[in-house]
Amino acid sequence: MRHGQASFGADNYDKLSELGHRQCVRLGEYFRHKGVTFDAALVGTLQRQVESLAGIAEGLQWQAKPLSWPGLNEYDSRAVVSAIHPGPLGKPDTPELVRHHFRLLRDGLAQWMAGTTQPVGMPSYADFVSGVTGALDHIRQNLHGKTVLIVSSGGPISTAVGHVLSTPPETTTELNLRIRNSSVTEFAFTPKRHMLVTYNTLPHLDHPDHAPWITYA
């Protein structure tokens, strides 16, 4: 599951907005209504990820005891952009500035993934991928036959999908930039491999009343 809506454009992006919290509680309520339960949970260490798991647990009425997994943390988008655009950028508070931000982000991701830039304070792309695939390996090796909830971010989720489907970096980036807040991506797994079942779904927001709850950042 991708975290709920964070605070894009604010001084501290890494926290859920009020809507982001409601998205996560609603997802937990959906799971409870459908009779979905989890045997284990993994979550990154970022605030928005931890808060998202707490919201799901609230709606599900579940006492989650997650395994903290730093390899599920998102890349630093500011560092990615700064690696190719070292000058100052204004806050993305207009549609044009938002589009400009994501153009730079796409270009920065392409160069980081190709190894032609190394954003400050970030791992290499190969190490980033290893952090994500390490979580998948842990589940396969230790939780076979279990239902596991992973709460992460768009970058790690698209990386997991790209790894399972062997997509090129450009496709992984496009998957990343289309993923929605609180969306669910499902994998089936055996001791040997993971298999993609669904990607980027919002079953908990399919009622017309929840259409304004669908967000991307």
Side-chain angles (χ1 to χ4, degrees):
M1 174 251 180
R2 187 193 178 199
H3 62 78
Q5 184 190 56
S7 300
F8 184 71
D11 292 335
N12 179 18
Y13 171 76
D14 190 26
K15 62 180 180 179
L16 292 187
S17 68
E18 189 275 335
L19 174 57
H21 176 72
R22 283 190 280 127
Q23 290 169 335
C24 296
V25 173
R26 175 69 190 125
L27 179 57
E29 292 171 342
Y30 169 81
F31 286 145
R32 180 160 52 89
H33 174 71
K34 299 294 288 187
V36 176
T37 60
F38 297 100
D39 302 299
L42 276 70
V43 64
T45 64
L46 299 178
Q47 180 180 349
R48 61 189 182 273
Q49 298 170 340
V50 174
E51 290 179 350
S52 294
L53 177 58
I56 294 170
E58 177 185 338
L60 188 55
Q61 298 179 3
W62 173 43
Q63 296 297 318
K65 297 180 180 179
L67 174 62
S68 182
W69 197 279
L72 293 170
N73 288 352
E74 183 64 286
Y75 56 78
D76 183 342
S77 61
R78 291 184 180 180
V80 169
V81 171
S82 294
I84 64 167
H85 190 286
L89 288 171
K91 285 187 177 182
D93 52 7
T94 68
E96 177 52 38
L97 288 176
V98 169
R99 288 191 292 270
H100 180 57
H101 168 82
F102 282 103
R103 283 194 295 267
L104 289 173
L105 179 59
R106 180 180 280 104
D107 291 345
L109 287 171
Q111 295 192 40
W112 174 49
M113 296 165 88
T116 57
T117 63
Q118 179 51 55
V120 175
M122 280 177 46
S124 68
Y125 182 64
D127 287 342
F128 179 81
V129 173
S130 293
V132 176
T133 58
L136 299 182
D137 291 343
H138 173 80
I139 291 170
R140 284 203 321 273
Q141 294 164 9
N142 299 285
L143 296 167
H144 182 56
K146 305 292 187 181
T147 302
V148 184
L149 174 65
I150 300 178
V151 180
S152 186
S153 297
I157 294 169
S158 60
T159 297
V161 173
H163 172 73
V164 169
L165 299 182
S166 299
T167 64
E170 297 81 6
T171 302
T172 301
T173 298
E174 290 306 313
L175 289 170
N176 179 10
L177 297 180
R178 296 294 182 269
I179 193 166
R180 298 171 292 187
N181 294 121
S182 77
S183 64
V184 177
T185 294
E186 298 173 273
F187 294 96
F189 66 96
T190 71
K192 292 186 177 180
R193 67 190 182 106
H194 273 77
M195 298 150 284
L196 182 66
V197 178
T198 68
Y199 175 70
N200 197 24
T201 65
L202 294 171
H204 55 304
L205 302 181
D206 63 356
H207 192 278
D209 289 348
H210 291 127
W213 291 31
I214 298 174
T215 60
Y216 290 83

